[in-house]
Amino acid sequence: MTYGNNVEQLKQYNICTLPPNDKWIDIREGLEFQQQLLEPDSDGGDNSNKVRKTTIKFLFRGRNPDGDKIINTFIQESFDFYMEKVKATQDFSRYLYMLVKTSKSSNEEGDSEDN
């Protein structure tokens, strides 16, 4: 069974959009998030054959005195949520494979003639 191939499974998905770059957005009260996309400066040459490195920074900002606690709690809750979703996709099915002999080897044919 392929995950996501029937309506019931697809109903489990949420549609999410990416946050805008370089803009602070409110996640919950007292907690903001910003995503920054950092690309190296171009040297003006032909970059078609070069590997380009892109860095994505995720920034969190808490405006309360206990902002670090709010940020850490949010990250832990997010990670726990992710772990639950990964756990739900684990396949605990058992598969049985049996060796099927399709033809005799020359050694086995010779052995049967000797008997």
Side-chain angles (χ1 to χ4, degrees):
M1 178 169 81
T2 304
Y3 188 77
N5 66 347
N6 66 43
V7 174
E8 292 304 314
Q9 289 173 337
L10 291 173
K11 286 180 181 178
Q12 301 299 313
Y13 288 116
N14 292 325
I15 297 176
C16 301
T17 59
L18 294 174
N21 284 324
D22 300 324
K23 182 177 178 185
W24 287 103
I25 56 170
D26 291 325
I27 297 177
R28 55 172 70 157
E29 189 171 334
L31 182 61
E32 294 177 325
F33 172 79
Q34 182 183 58
Q35 175 179 303
Q36 293 179 349
L37 183 64
L38 307 172
E39 295 186 42
D41 293 333
S42 175
D43 58 358
D46 181 22
N47 290 332
S48 61
N49 294 329
K50 293 183 181 180
V51 176
R52 295 183 60 194
K53 178 182 175 181
T54 302
T55 304
I56 300 174
K57 277 179 140 179
F58 300 111
L59 305 170
F60 293 92
R61 177 169 70 183
R63 296 200 177 264
N64 297 333
D66 59 343
D68 59 337
K69 183 179 177 186
I70 293 171
I71 292 169
N72 290 336
T73 300
F74 174 78
I75 291 172
Q76 186 62 52
E77 288 172 358
S78 299
F79 187 70
D80 292 343
F81 174 79
Y82 174 73
M83 295 272 289
E84 294 271 331
K85 292 297 181 182
V86 170
K87 192 177 191 180
T89 63
Q90 285 180 323
D91 185 5
F92 292 105
S93 302
R94 297 188 68 165
Y95 300 94
L96 177 63
Y97 296 98
M98 297 179 69
L99 179 63
V100 177
K101 196 172 191 178
T102 57
S103 65
K104 291 186 177 184
S105 66
S106 60
N107 244 359
E108 291 173 354
E109 288 175 2
D111 290 341
S112 63
E113 291 174 2
D114 292 340
N115 292 337

